[in-house]
Amino acid sequence: MSGTAGGRLVRLAETGRAPVRFLLDGMERTALSGDTVLTAILTNAPTLRQAEFGPEQRAGFCLMGACQDCWIWQEQGPRLRACSTPVADGMRLLTRTREDWP
């Protein structure tokens, strides 16, 4: 998923903010300071993650942290809500759980 060119969201304004670099499934991506993780990912990829219980792709739903549709994983293991977490320089994010996790 993260190797796909183009994102679901297209930035039309506020393009002058400082860049923030993060890794998404091991690939370096760029967002802008002040972006949520959801915005950072969806400006770089067509979907946020794959659903846990099927092949459907997810892209967030309520955008305020209530529906739990935007959970993604940090490379260290803990998951976070992409819609309400600011992206930070150096974040290492995964769109699916790692194979070696129990």
Side-chain angles (χ1 to χ4, degrees), residues 20-37:
V20 174
R21 300 200 186 295
F22 67 101
L23 292 179
L24 181 62
D25 293 330
M27 297 181 66
E28 186 173 296
R29 303 295 182 156
T30 303
L32 296 181
S33 177
D35 284 352
T36 62
V37 169

